[in-house]
Amino acid sequence: MKRTIFGAAAALALAASPPCAQAQSFINVLTGGTSGVYYPLGVAIGKIYGDKIPNVKTQVQATKASVENLILLQQGRGELAFTLGDSLKAAWDGDEEAGFKTKLDKLRTIGAIYPNYIQIVATADSGIKTLADLRGKSLSVGAPKSGTELNSRAILAAAGMSYKDLGKVEYLPFAESVDLMKNRQLAATLQSAGLGVASLKDLSTSSPITVVSVPKETVDKIGPPFISAVIPANTYTGQDKDVPTAAVVNYLVTSSAVSDDLAYQMTKLVYESLPELANAHAAGKEIKLETAATGSPVPLHPGAIRYYKEKGLIK
């Protein structure tokens, strides 16, 4: 209803405006659940765009994350989206099993951002200490149509398991998963996010937890775009040792329908506003301009290419 009213008001305002003011653009930033990392970073980017791009209105939309975001982009219902690298590849390939009925050919990459860490956290009293211990136990694998859920399938498969081996599977966003764990209705959650995700910080400060490792040999079985990584000691309360795990690079993605000039400004403002993004969430500290133009399974937007050429990252 609010969006309908806003749209009607905007249409009236444009009708009453002089011709030179009608070139206003709209940027809808597609993120994830409000307790994850995509959302606070998306809010920061939306504010930066609204403040620094002339004649632009921005909106930040909470979603089910990667898979839904990419489908919305293809449908023209967003201008910028956060996504995991494996979801992006699946969308470009038209992987139906991953949730993409056809190849999403309008996707264009803005740039690589921070890595998502696969963070498997169990309640201390569940007895879960290894991946094998998940057999017969309840696990939240992430919201439907999310990159986290695709990551869950990949990790379990590499460990020789499937959802059938679990006692119960919950398809829940981060915050809802944690609520069930606090109420002793769920043994563990797999959350694919930047380090220090709010939901797991909340859980670790309210009850004892175990951060479950994903050994390097398991990560190697999956292969790219998964890489071995470490959740540093003291990332969460009670986690006193480094924990090996897997990581997947996140990307900011747009659509071929977005103009080259707007995509250029969108790219430039992300990578020249890194202090603001670091203030919005700790994961923002891991975004590096040097690696922004690398590794995407989808072509870079021409506007992004223009910026990276200016910075000497592309010849």
Side-chain angles (χ1 to χ4, degrees), residues 86 89 219-227 248:
D86 57 334
K89 183 179 187 303
V219 182
D220 290 345
K221 284 181 184 177
I222 308 173
F226 288 80
I227 58 172
V248 187

Side-chain angles (χ1 to χ4, degrees), residues 204-221:
S204 70
T205 56
S206 59
S207 57
I209 62 164
T210 300
V211 182
V212 180
S213 71
V214 180
K216 184 179 184 300
E217 55 267 28
T218 302
V219 182
D220 290 345
K221 284 181 184 177

Side-chain angles (χ1 to χ4, degrees), residues 33-48:
T34 55
S35 61
V37 178
Y38 287 174
Y39 188 79
L41 287 179
V43 169
I45 290 172
K47 185 177 189 310
I48 291 163

Side-chain angles (χ1 to χ4, degrees), residues 7-301:
L12 287 170
L14 284 173
S17 300
C20 63
Q22 293 189 19
Q24 188 174 77
S25 299
F26 184 74
I27 299 176
N28 187 27
V29 182
L30 303 166
T31 59
T34 55
S35 61
V37 178
Y38 287 174
Y39 188 79
L41 287 179
V43 169
I45 290 172
K47 185 177 189 310
I48 291 163
Y49 287 172
D51 289 346
K52 297 185 179 181
I53 303 179
N55 298 317
V56 158
K57 290 281 187 182
T58 61
Q59 171 179 295
V60 178
Q61 182 176 340
T63 67
K64 294 175 182 174
S66 297
V67 177
E68 182 180 24
N69 288 352
L70 296 172
I71 292 170
L72 290 172
L73 270 186
Q74 179 76 13
Q75 294 172 345
R77 295 165 65 189
E79 286 68 43
L80 185 75
F82 288 77
T83 183
L84 277 164
D86 57 334
S87 299
L88 186 56
K89 183 179 187 303
W92 189 247
D93 293 343
D95 185 341
E96 191 166 354
E97 189 176 337
F100 304 103
K101 294 180 181 178
T102 58
K103 174 183 170 71
L104 304 191
D105 58 356
K106 295 180 182 177
L107 302 180
R108 297 292 184 272
T109 298
I110 289 291
I113 45 175
Y114 66 92
N116 253 29
Y117 291 77
I118 307 302
Q119 299 169 78
I120 304 173
V121 176
T123 58
D125 59 8
S126 68
I128 298 170
K129 295 182 178 178
T130 67
L131 286 174
D133 293 335
L134 290 169
R135 290 181 185 273
K137 301 292 175 63
S138 57
L139 174 70
S140 178
V141 296
K145 292 189 176 181
S146 71
T148 291
E149 201 265 313
L150 296 184
N151 289 174
S152 295
R153 290 189 220 175
I155 294 293
L156 289 173
M161 289 185 283
S162 71
Y163 290 167
K164 292 179 181 178
D165 295 301
L166 303 174
K168 186 178 182 182
V169 180
E170 297 281 6
Y171 297 86
L172 295 172
F174 295 172
E176 291 178 33
S177 302
V178 164
D179 287 343
L180 286 186
M181 292 176 75
K182 287 180 180 178
N183 294 327
R184 299 190 176 185
Q185 295 175 290
L186 181 69
T189 178
L190 185 151
Q191 302 196 1
S192 180
L195 292 175
V197 62
S199 52
L200 296 180
K201 280 196 164 185
D202 174 34
L203 177 64
S204 70
T205 56
S206 59
S207 57
I209 62 164
T210 300
V211 182
V212 180
S213 71
V214 180
K216 184 179 184 300
E217 55 267 28
T218 302
V219 182
D220 290 345
K221 284 181 184 177
I222 308 173
F226 288 80
I227 58 172
S228 290
V230 170
I231 302 171
N234 302 311
T235 297
Y236 301 106
T237 303
Q239 179 216 339
D240 57 2
K241 294 180 181 177
D242 289 354
V243 177
T245 193
V248 187
V249 174
N250 284 285
Y251 290 87
L252 286 173
V253 185
T254 187
S255 159
S256 57
V258 171
S259 73
D260 290 2
D261 284 345
L262 184 57
Y264 169 81
Q265 292 181 80
M266 288 163 61
T267 308
K268 177 183 174 74
L269 284 171
V270 166
Y271 294 99
E272 294 187 2
S273 305
L274 296 183
E276 290 96 318
L277 299 185
N279 287 336
H281 194 282
K285 297 174 184 175
E286 299 187 61
I287 303 174
K288 311 291 183 188
L289 173 61
E290 301 78 51
T291 55
T294 62
S296 174
V298 167
L300 288 164
H301 193 289

